[in-house]
Amino acid sequence: MTSSRSLTLGVLNGMGSGALWGTVFIVPLLLHDFTSLQMTAGRYIVYGLISLALLLPRWNILKNILGKAEWIALIRLSVLGNVLYYILLSTAITTVGGPVTTLIIGFLPIAVLVMGIRAGSSIHIKQIAAPMSLSVIGILLIVSRSFTAHAAATPAHSVAFSTQVIGLLCAVGALASWTLYAVENTRWLLKTSTVSDHDWSLLTGVVTGALALVLVIPAFVFQAAPHAWLDWARFWGVCSTTALLASVVANGLWNRASRLLPLTLSGQMIIFETLFALLYSFVWAHRWPSLVEFCAIICLITGVLWCTAAHRNTTQHI
């Protein structure tokens, strides 16, 4: 049973993680002269180092709790939710742009919601069909607005179209990757109740950092390009900031939300990543949202609030 207080705390943690995750959509714009593979390797190597440093004081306790199954799960989660997801996301942003990518990723709440219902949630799909429809409408509005703007600004060329298709496939791949991560991560958080939310995030970080080492040679040797030392300072500065805020802190907040909320509602919290990513994109572009984008944002926010209310009502009647 999920209490009303747990719902409130879970929503706040979900909002916090979304606000921090939204910053990753700006990273490819800040590091436009570096490849998506370099950005992925840099961010997650730093994530691994920070996580390892924070875990060392409790390592002797944790190593006795974790077995082979847990370590295999951590590897799978690190690939799905971090390495593979971020490579696909960065590639999509650099090819089709931030708005289109953020709104395709915006389907995450719907995907996780469906998975939660299939897993046997106490809430019926009829209770959340209306708020879920609002979220879909909001996503479709901004996707249509983004494609309209792109078509008006860019003549149609076969090369540009091919690049756009690749970018869209990467965005869809990122959507699928993170959906699987969200579902599996929630299941393992419930199984490993003796490990804190923060420690599970740090353990994921250590494994992710180890996996990122495999990317070092292809990222920094095969894709090597001349950069001034100031460019490298900017690169590692952005990667370190992203690793700390969008990985260590945000993942810890997300794990807390995942333990406090049912899967059908925690999935809705991902919409805050989309909302904040859009906000940051507007600030970056120095513009206000258009009427269509504003209506889409209202639909997304209303959908989340409505879905939260439906879960709260279900809790009160149990």
Side-chain angles (χ1 to χ4, degrees), residues 20-276:
L20 294 174
W21 278 338
T23 61
V24 305
F25 289 82
I26 301 299
V27 172
L29 302 176
L30 294 170
L31 301 178
H32 57 87
D33 47 342
F34 292 88
T35 68
S36 58
L37 202 59
Q38 289 173 332
M39 287 183 271
T40 303
R43 171 186 174 183
Y44 289 128
I45 286 172
V46 177
Y47 180 26
L49 291 174
I50 295 175
S51 299
L52 182 61
L54 293 175
L55 274 179
L56 283 177
R58 297 183 300 285
W59 180 248
N60 288 332
I61 298 175
L62 289 171
K63 71 178 182 180
N64 294 323
I65 298 175
L66 302 173
K68 181 180 178 181
E70 284 77 15
W71 284 112
I72 293 175
L74 285 166
I75 293 172
R76 187 168 62 250
L77 292 172
S78 297
V79 172
L80 290 173
N82 291 325
V83 180
L84 178 61
Y85 170 73
Y86 197 59
I87 290 174
L88 294 172
L89 179 69
S90 301
T91 304
I93 292 173
T94 54
T95 51
V96 295
V100 174
T101 304
T102 56
L103 266 300
I104 291 177
I105 298 300
F107 276 101
L108 270 171
I110 310 301
V112 176
L113 177 65
V114 172
M115 296 293 286
I117 292 174
R118 290 185 60 188
S121 171
S122 60
I123 195 166
H124 197 276
I125 192 169
K126 291 182 179 179
Q127 297 173 270
I128 49 177
M132 185 169 63
S133 299
L134 270 180
S135 297
V136 172
I137 291 171
I139 292 165
L140 293 177
L141 279 174
I142 298 191
V143 169
S144 64
R145 170 69 177 82
S146 299
F147 275 110
T148 301
H150 179 81
T154 307
H157 294 296
S158 57
V159 175
F161 178 76
S162 300
T163 302
Q164 189 177 59
V165 169
I166 293 173
L168 289 174
L169 290 175
C170 286
V172 173
L175 168 65
S177 180
W178 214 90
T179 299
L180 292 173
Y181 163 78
V183 175
E184 286 296 312
N185 189 56
T186 298
R187 289 174 180 169
W188 277 99
L189 282 169
L190 296 176
K191 286 183 180 180
T192 54
S193 57
T194 54
V195 180
S196 71
D197 316 314
H198 186 55
D199 283 347
W200 186 255
S201 170
L202 296 178
L203 286 165
T204 306
V206 171
V207 175
T208 301
L211 293 173
L213 292 175
V214 179
L215 302 177
V216 169
I217 292 179
F220 297 107
V221 177
F222 296 156
Q223 295 188 358
H227 292 289
W229 70 270
L230 281 176
D231 293 329
W232 282 113
R234 169 170 52 89
F235 174 82
W236 288 111
V238 172
C239 287
S240 298
T241 303
T242 306
L244 178 61
L245 297 180
S247 291
V248 176
V249 179
N251 289 359
L253 292 173
W254 173 255
N255 286 344
R256 183 60 177 162
S258 297
R259 271 187 170 151
L260 289 170
L261 301 174
L263 185 57
T264 48
L265 183 55
S266 66
Q268 295 299 294
M269 296 301 101
I270 308 170
I271 208 69
F272 288 109
E273 177 185 12
T274 302
L275 290 171
F276 280 101

